[in-house]
Amino acid sequence: MVGLVVVSHSAKAAEGICEVAAQMASGASIEPAGGGKDGSLGTSVDRIQEAIEAADDGDGVVLLVDLGSAVMNAELAVEMSESEVRIADAPVLEAAVNAAVEATSKKATLESVLASAEEARDYRKLN
């Protein structure tokens, strides 16, 4: 199964996003990677790498990121990882839900999970 990692500047936000996505897609492999090493706000390459390793069962991992340095640190973690990893260019919560639902499909691939995550860019909340 394609794994998911939620990268956020806040550990609580990453955990909450994982919780929401897991409610929509029971059985999905979703790992939070939020906050700095010391629990402060920020992101950590080490935390992201650990989450990638935990989420990857051999089918690859999609990273869902919130802001600025989360992207930069995610890119560094991808470069250092032996796993096949893609970063979704999409709003983190909506993308996490989409990706989690797709990841639970028996036909899911790394590319289909990434595409599902990125579909969230076009969602409108109001008419």
Side-chain angles (χ1 to χ4, degrees):
M1 175 183 296
V2 176
L4 306 173
V5 173
V6 175
V7 181
S8 175
H9 283 72
S10 165
K12 289 179 183 178
E15 291 165 6
I17 291 166
C18 289
E19 181 181 10
V20 170
Q23 284 291 314
M24 301 300 291
S26 179
S29 176
I30 310 170
E31 295 289 330
K37 279 185 170 183
D38 61 357
S40 63
L41 290 178
T43 58
S44 162
V45 173
D46 292 338
R47 280 192 176 195
I48 298 167
Q49 285 182 295
E50 290 168 8
I52 290 170
E53 289 175 19
D56 189 16
D57 70 358
D59 292 331
V61 176
V62 172
L63 299 184
L64 307 147
V65 298
D66 63 4
L67 306 167
S69 66
V71 176
M72 180 183 68
N73 283 335
E75 289 172 339
L76 287 171
V78 169
E79 288 177 21
M80 297 164 58
S81 178
E82 294 182 17
S83 298
E84 192 170 359
V85 184
R86 303 286 187 281
I87 302 172
D89 182 12
V92 66
L93 175 59
E94 293 88 339
V97 170
N98 275 12
V101 170
E102 175 64 21
T104 60
S105 166
K106 292 181 184 193
K107 295 181 181 182
T109 65
L110 183 59
E111 296 308 320
S112 73
V113 173
L114 177 65
S116 289
E118 291 183 342
E119 284 176 11
R121 286 189 305 226
D122 298 327
Y123 287 177
R124 295 183 47 91
K125 296 181 182 178
L126 301 175
N127 292 328

